[in-house]
Every structure is written in structure tokens, then in C-alpha cells.
């Protein structure tokens, strides 16, 4: 079994996956020795309530940031082509306050998601695009779910048998504290006009067991981190576009660590890698 930054989560809650029967054949159903408690097939009516609760989880977390997903996005872009993995709790173990926040249907006694990581397989064999990460750590502070987001991402990547993980996120997102726990990230874009928010970076890294364990908080694993060559201000859109022009010209850059605050500004440590 894996050691994490918060083993109580593994002891107290179960894990779920959403996937079609055919896709589930390719899933590791026991990532790091943690067996799944719930499997939900999106093509069956009986899954409908849980799938609606995933949308509620998305609205509770992403909603305030303005990118809530419609149900068809879940179905077309996640549940049919890929998987949704996360931690959940039986509805009967929730407080009245939590049931109200989730707007649970009267009499519902199934699982309720506390976190989810969505990834979609890419054409390149072994490559997956991580499309959504959500955790109720900040929404339910009394449950002490610290590290839930990071653990969910690490376990999901293992379950999906991912070899190279891609993601896109905004330079100002606090999720970068999580993504950089997986080690050095190769930057495929630093400025992304194809995205609704151009100040988005696209990253990728080769998955190793060591990186997943380190990210999940296993105290026995420490990743090597190269020194940065320079820092990029999280709001420096000119700097992002200048780096993007260099990438398109053949240069390569890596994000080598989490954001930090220098003279009141959030900055990202970068190095030139080619
Ligand atoms: C972002 C999100 C997934 C985080 O979930 P979480 O369960 O709180 O995350 P974790 O506890 O695993 O990790 C958060 C890490 O970020 C750090 N962190 C977050 N904000 C920080 C800040 N402003 N300054 C310093 N550290 C910060 C935490 O300290 C923690 O790191 P640590 O373990 O080294 O202390 C959750 O808040 C969420 O669902 N947000 C909305 C959706 C979203 O933005 N998703 C990401 C899209 S790519």
C-alpha cells in the first residue's frame, strides 16, 4: 500500500471510477493496492444520479472560477473516451449540511464524490490529457481532507496506466502547487490562444512510480529538482508570449517547481532545457 500525505483519506473513504465496460478492461482496478469500491458505467441509467453529483462537485469547486461543465461535456469528453476517478463517501455518512450543499435527492443512499480526476486518452500511445481535477478539501474543512487533490491525481494516473501525462492550466491557478509535485514539467505552450484563456500553459511529463509516490506524499521518496534559470511572473503576458515564440522557434523550457511569492508577486521557476 502507498504511504501518502494523508493516509486517513485512504482509511476513511472509498474510491470510484466512471468508465464503460470496454474501457474498464484497460484500467488498473487496484492502483497502489487500493481496490475500487464503486464502478459506474455511464451507459446505464442507474449511474445517472452519481454522474449528476459529479457535475455538482464540479460546480462546487470550479464554479466560482467560471468554467463549470455541462453534462454533455462529461459524457462526450470524459465518460465515453476515458475515465473519471476519485474518492467518495456513502450518502448516509454525510451531515445534513453536506447533504444540503450537494442538494442530494431524498432517499439517495449511494456514493457521493469528494474528489475527481478526469483524463482522456490521446492518439499517442500511453499519453493521456488530464482535463479536470476537483477536491472538496476547502469546502469541507472539518473533514480534514488535506492533500486530497494531489492524492486523487496520483492514484488516477496510476489507475489509467498513463505513461505520459499532459495538462493545461492557467498561470494564476493554485492547481500549479499540485501539478509541480509530480516533478519537472516540460512546457509545450506558455501562451495558448487556442484556449478560452490564452494565459494558459500546456505541460507534460513522463510518468514514473517514483513521481506518483512523491506527489502523493510518500516520505520515502524525494525527487531531484534542477535550479531555475529564471522566473516568470504569473501575470506577465508579454513574457508568456515571448517564451511561446521561442518554443515555436525550437527552444524548450521546463517548469521546475511550485509558484512562489517574490516582492508581493507570484512567480514560476523555469529553466531552458533545449
Ligand atoms: C485546486 C484543488 C484541486 C486543490 O485541492 P486540495 O485537495 O485542496 O489540494 P491539496 O491539498 O492536494 O494540495 C494543495 C497544495 O497546494 C498548496 N497551495 C494551495 N494554494 C496555495 C497558496 N496560495 N500558497 C501556497 N500553497 C498553496 C497547498 O499548501 C498544498 O500544498 P502542500 O501539500 O505542499 O501544503 C481544489 O481547490 C479545487 O477543486 N479547486 C477548483 C478546481 C480547480 O482549480 N482545479 C484545477 C484545474 S487544473
Amino acid at each position: 500500500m502507498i504511504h501518502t500525505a494523508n493516509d486517513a483519506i485512504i482509511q476513511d473513504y472509498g474510491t470510484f471510477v466512471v468508465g464503460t465496460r470496454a474501457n474498464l478492461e484497460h484500467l488498473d482496478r487496484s492502483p497502489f493496492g487500493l481496490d475500487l469500491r464503486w464502478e459506474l458505467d455511464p451507459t446505464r441509467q442507474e449511474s445517472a444520479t452519481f454522474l449528476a453529483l459529479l457535475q455538482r462537485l464540479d460546480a462546487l469547486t470550479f464554479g466560482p472560477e467560471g468554467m463549470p461543465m455541462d453534462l454533455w461535456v462529461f459524457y462526450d469528453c470524459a465518460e465515453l473516451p476515458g475515465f473519471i476517478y476519485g474518492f467518495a463517501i456513502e450518502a448516509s455518512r454525510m451531515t445534513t449540511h453536506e447533504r444540503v450543499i450537494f442538494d442530494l435527492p431524498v432517499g439517495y443512499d449511494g456514493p457521493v464524490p469528494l474528489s475527481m480526476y478526469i483524463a482522456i486518452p490521446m492518439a499517442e500511445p500511453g499519453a493521456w490529457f488530464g482535463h479536470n481535477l476537483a477536491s472538496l478539501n476547502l469546502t469541507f474543512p472539518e473533514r480534514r481532507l488535506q492533500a486530497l487533490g494531489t492524492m486523487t491525481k496520483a492514484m488516477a494516473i496510476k489507475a489509467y496506466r498513463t505513461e505520459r501525462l499532459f495538462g493545461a492550466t492557467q498561470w494564476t491557478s493554485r492547481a500549479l502547487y499540485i501539478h509541480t509535485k509530480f516533478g519537472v514539467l516540460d512546457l509545450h505552450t506558455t501562451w495558448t490562444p487556442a484556449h478560452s484563456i490564452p494565459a494558459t500553459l500546456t505541460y507534460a511529463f513522463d510518468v514514473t512510480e517514483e513521481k506518483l509516490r512523491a506527489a502523493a506524499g510518500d516520505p520515502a521518496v524525494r525527487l531531484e529538482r534542477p535550479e531555475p534559470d529564471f522566473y516568470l511572473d504569473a501575470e506577465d503576458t508579454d513574457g508568456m508570449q515571448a517564451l511561446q515564440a521561442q518554443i515555436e522557434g525550437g527552444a524548450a523550457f521546463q517548469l521546475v517547481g511550485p509558484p512562489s511569492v517574490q516582492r508581493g508577486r507570484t512567480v514560476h521557476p523555469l529553466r531552458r532545457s533545449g
Side-chain angles (χ1 to χ4, degrees):
M1 183 63 75
I2 188 172
H3 288 292
T4 68
N6 190 350
D7 286 343
I9 291 176
I10 289 179
Q11 282 147 23
D12 295 347
Y13 303 102
T15 51
F16 71 84
V17 72
V18 177
T20 63
R21 244 178 286 180
N23 283 345
L24 288 178
E25 292 301 312
H26 302 276
L27 186 86
D28 175 352
R29 287 181 150 97
S30 186
F32 292 114
L34 184 63
D35 293 340
L36 288 165
R37 192 173 305 169
W38 298 282
E39 292 184 6
L40 297 112
D41 183 341
T43 64
R44 298 183 73 93
Q45 297 184 70
E46 66 199 16
S47 306
T49 304
F50 185 80
L51 302 181
L53 292 175
L54 290 178
Q55 190 190 32
R56 185 80 189 121
L57 169 64
D58 182 59
L60 285 171
T61 52
F62 255 112
E65 291 179 36
M67 289 206 281
M69 295 201 299
D70 219 329
L71 270 185
W72 71 263
V73 181
F74 277 91
Y75 191 73
D76 293 21
C77 308
E79 294 161 5
L80 259 282
F83 297 118
I84 306 178
Y85 175 98
F87 285 85
I89 179 175
E90 295 83 357
S92 56
R93 290 176 55 209
M94 297 181 86
T95 65
T96 307
H97 167 70
E98 290 168 345
R99 295 176 70 96
V100 168
I101 286 186
F102 257 101
D103 200 15
L104 287 190
V106 178
Y108 178 73
D109 196 25
V112 179
L114 297 172
S115 68
M116 66 174 166
Y117 187 65
I118 300 179
I120 311 163
M122 298 170 72
E124 191 183 329
W128 288 68
F129 182 78
H131 162 261
N132 186 308
L133 172 66
S135 151
L136 288 177
N137 174 25
L138 297 179
T139 312
F140 295 162
E142 60 289 346
R143 284 202 175 267
R144 303 184 166 278
L145 300 173
Q146 293 86 347
L148 178 61
T150 314
M151 286 168 59
T152 301
K153 179 173 174 177
M155 308 290 294
I157 290 172
K158 177 81 171 160
Y160 303 166
R161 303 185 197 276
T162 306
E163 291 170 23
R164 187 160 172 84
L165 193 278
F166 285 77
T169 193
Q170 286 67 61
W171 284 108
T172 50
S173 171
R174 67 184 290 262
L176 277 169
Y177 290 97
I178 295 177
H179 303 323
T180 51
K181 283 180 192 273
F182 291 78
V184 170
L185 305 177
D186 302 324
L187 291 170
H188 285 250
T189 70
T190 54
W191 177 255
T192 319
H195 194 281
S196 329
I197 302 172
T200 290
L201 62 116
T202 309
Y203 68 84
F205 65 94
D206 290 334
V207 175
T208 65
E209 181 108 356
E210 194 188 31
K211 290 178 188 173
L212 299 186
R213 285 185 181 276
D218 186 335
V221 190
R222 278 204 60 185
L223 298 178
E224 295 275 325
R225 287 206 184 265
E227 286 298 314
D229 293 330
F230 61 98
Y231 291 86
L232 175 70
D233 188 299
E235 311 222 16
D236 178 7
T237 53
D238 289 342
M240 294 166 200
Q241 290 173 69
L243 287 171
Q244 178 65 24
Q246 290 190 60
I247 291 171
E248 292 180 23
F253 297 95
Q254 293 175 320
L255 183 59
V256 300
S260 60
V261 178
Q262 291 180 4
R263 283 181 244 105
R265 315 251 341 149
T266 300
V267 295
H268 299 282
L270 271 68
R271 76 184 273 266
R272 197 181 169 116
S273 54

